[in-house]
Amino acid sequence: MSEANEIKKDGGTAQKNSGRGKIQKGDAKLGPFCYDIKEFSKSFGLSKAVWGKICTDAFRSGRMVPALKIVLGEANEKVRLWVIDDGMFKEMLEAWEEKYGE
C-alpha cells in the first residue's frame, strides 16, 4: 500500500509537496497531528535525528503535534504503529481515563 493509500486509510489529508518544498512539511495532517509515514518490509530504526525532523516539520506546519506512522510488512501481513511524544501520550491517557473512568 502506498503512502497515499495509508493517508486515505487514516482519513488524513496529504501535504502538498511533502519533503520537496519549503511549505507543508510532513506527509499528512490528521486532527492535531502532522505526521510522516515510513514503510518497510521488516524493520525500521528510529533515531533522534529522524524524530527531530518530524518535530520540526510539525512546528513549521503551524505548530501541530508531531507523529510518526510506521508500517511494517508486506501484502496483507502489515503491522501499523504510531509514535508520539510522552506529553501527547499522557494527554491521550488522561482523556481515555476521563471517558472510561479508569
Side-chain angles (χ1 to χ4, degrees):
M1 192 175 276
S2 72
E3 191 174 278
N5 288 338
E6 285 295 325
I7 294 167
K8 184 177 178 181
K9 181 181 188 91
D10 297 337
T13 303
Q15 296 277 69
K16 294 178 185 174
N17 294 321
S18 167
R20 293 177 298 282
K22 294 184 180 181
I23 58 169
Q24 294 194 310
K25 298 292 186 175
D27 292 330
K29 289 183 180 182
L30 179 62
F33 298 100
C34 176
Y35 66 101
D36 274 10
I37 299 169
K38 304 293 184 192
E39 297 180 85
F40 295 91
S41 61
K42 295 184 180 187
S43 67
F44 172 73
L46 179 60
S47 67
K48 287 177 82 172
V50 168
W51 183 249
K53 179 191 176 299
I54 292 166
C55 291
T56 300
D57 289 352
F59 181 81
R60 290 181 178 165
S61 290
R63 299 180 188 211
M64 298 189 72
V65 178
L68 170 62
K69 182 177 185 181
I70 302 169
V71 182
L72 299 173
E74 297 174 357
N76 294 328
E77 301 286 325
K78 292 187 178 182
V79 174
R80 291 170 174 85
L81 307 164
W82 288 85
V83 177
I84 56 173
D85 71 17
D86 189 59
M88 177 51 68
F89 172 79
K90 288 176 181 173
E91 283 184 46
M92 293 173 78
L93 177 59
E94 183 178 310
W96 185 87
E97 288 171 342
E98 285 180 20
K99 183 173 181 175
Y100 296 105
E102 295 195 27

